[in-house]
Amino acid sequence: MIARQDQITGGLLGLLIGDAVGVPYEFTSPDSIPPLDQIEMTPPADFRRTYPGIAPGTWSDDGAQALCLLASLLDCGRVDPDDLGQRFLNWYQRGYLAIANRVFDVGGHTARVLGAIANGTPILEAGAINPNAKGNGSLMRVLPLVLWHQGSDAELVEAAHLQSRTTHGALTCQVCCALYCLWARYVLHEDPHPWAAAVATLRYLYPARSPQRMELENTIRPDDPPQGEGTGYVVDCLHSARYALTAPSYELVVKRAIALGHDTDTTACVAGGIAGLRDGVTAIPQRWRDQLLGQEIVEPLLEQLLQRWR
């Protein structure tokens, strides 16, 4: 059994490190990704990095928005859409909780939503401006909700829906966030079959023939085998993380996620967070923990978070 605080620390650092390892490879086709043994925060010298001006060990929008969510939860004691929206906007405009205050990777839909918020649109209205936007922008950041939340499964699901709606109001995104949160919770509780337990709970909570249940069964299809293509589509991202998590170690989970190509930082972030929960912080390679930048940003937030579990 892994100590709860080691799991919580592993979850938060696991998502940030997965994101940072994946950043140099983003938008690369899988056939151009280096072999697994060469995937590192600093890629091989002959690999053409996606962001050559970004220092190795830097998290992207995934990690920054996850930290925005965590900071908001710690300060407000709940998912507060208005507070969360302002933190996202502060990140977008000023680099709040970004390494060196530098914003370099923003999804097109999220940029439009934040632009609408800046112009005075209420956040939940802004998050619903395109109901067909089904990217992984709310899934990539949601894990801190699980690390913070101590209420019921039903309350966790509602909170997951609400945090998604701040930028990604599509029902598909909301349900993916809810399923991911339950999956992570059951991993935290060391359930032997966490994905199956999460699916069963969500089926119990979503009434038959409800729109949410139809999304779960017909769009997400949680009984399908774990496989994915590493794309930015929220459903594929979720299943790509499931595939990566069939690997037995944190390092292999992250490398398998990146080897899928395409949205490498987000797939590795989503998978790496759960791998960190599953295996604990000591399972994350020490070299990656040492290479992660911004630890002075993370440490006070992590300490506040751990206080909730003492």
Side-chain angles (χ1 to χ4, degrees):
M1 180 176 290
I2 302 170
R4 177 61 54 85
Q5 295 205 353
D6 289 344
Q7 289 182 289
I8 297 294
T9 303
L12 186 61
L13 292 184
L15 78 87
L16 293 171
I17 289 171
D19 180 14
V21 178
V23 161
Y25 309 95
E26 190 177 20
F27 308 130
T28 303
S29 63
D31 58 356
S32 298
I33 297 287
L36 288 184
D37 63 349
Q38 296 180 32
I39 294 174
E40 292 289 342
M41 282 190 182
T42 301
D46 60 350
F47 180 79
R48 186 172 183 177
R49 293 161 52 191
T50 303
Y51 304 102
I54 297 299
T58 299
W59 62 69
S60 70
D61 57 334
D62 306 45
Q65 288 186 36
L67 293 176
C68 286
L69 175 59
L70 177 57
S72 182
L73 290 167
L74 291 169
D75 285 351
C76 299
R78 62 188 176 90
V79 177
D80 183 324
D82 292 327
D83 180 81
L84 190 53
Q86 287 305 308
R87 290 176 194 266
F88 289 156
L89 191 59
N90 195 14
W91 159 73
Y92 184 50
Q93 294 180 333
R94 302 176 186 86
Y96 168 66
L97 298 179
I99 301 295
N101 303 115
R102 184 171 180 182
V103 176
F104 63 91
D105 184 18
V106 185
H109 171 73
T110 297
R112 286 188 289 275
V113 169
L114 295 178
I117 295 169
N119 288 327
T121 303
I123 185 166
L124 295 182
E125 291 181 21
I129 58 177
N130 182 0
N132 295 315
K134 298 179 181 179
N136 54 17
S138 60
L139 179 66
M140 69 187 189
R141 66 175 185 243
V142 74
L143 183 62
L145 177 61
V146 182
L147 307 182
W148 172 89
H149 201 279
Q150 296 177 343
S152 69
D153 287 346
E155 291 168 336
L156 177 61
V157 165
E158 287 304 311
H161 290 172
L162 183 58
Q163 84 78 32
S164 182
R165 290 173 57 204
T166 58
T167 56
H168 290 69
L171 198 56
T172 304
C173 298
Q174 294 185 48
V175 176
C176 280
C177 285
L179 179 53
Y180 180 81
C181 282
L182 289 173
W183 180 25
R185 169 169 279 187
Y186 285 115
V187 169
L188 181 62
H189 293 167
E190 299 190 63
D191 188 287
H193 305 290
W195 177 266
V199 172
T201 297
L202 210 51
R203 283 174 170 153
Y204 173 77
L205 292 173
Y206 288 156
R209 302 186 186 85
S210 66
Q212 293 87 350
R213 182 66 174 271
M214 298 301 288
E215 283 293 324
L216 176 67
E217 304 296 355
N218 298 332
T219 304
I220 299 172
R221 298 173 60 89
D223 298 328
D224 285 355
Q227 57 187 6
E229 298 179 351
T231 70
Y233 172 44
V234 66
V235 176
D236 182 60
C237 181
L238 183 62
H239 286 299
S240 296
R242 284 183 66 209
Y243 161 75
L245 277 147
T246 60
S249 70
Y250 176 89
E251 181 173 344
L252 283 177
V253 167
V254 167
K255 289 185 172 186
R256 183 176 286 187
I258 292 168
L260 292 172
H262 309 299
D263 200 2
T264 53
D265 59 330
T266 300
T267 309
C269 173
V270 171
I274 289 193
L277 273 180
R278 182 190 72 184
D279 301 338
V281 64
T282 58
I284 300 174
Q286 187 65 52
R287 68 186 186 281
W288 287 353
R289 284 187 272 159
D290 292 342
Q291 291 167 3
L292 181 69
L293 301 179
Q295 298 196 38
E296 73 284 356
I297 299 171
V298 179
E299 286 172 2
L301 293 171
L302 177 59
E303 179 58 29
Q304 285 183 265
L305 176 62
L306 293 176
Q307 286 291 343
R308 288 179 57 81
W309 297 95
R310 289 181 176 141

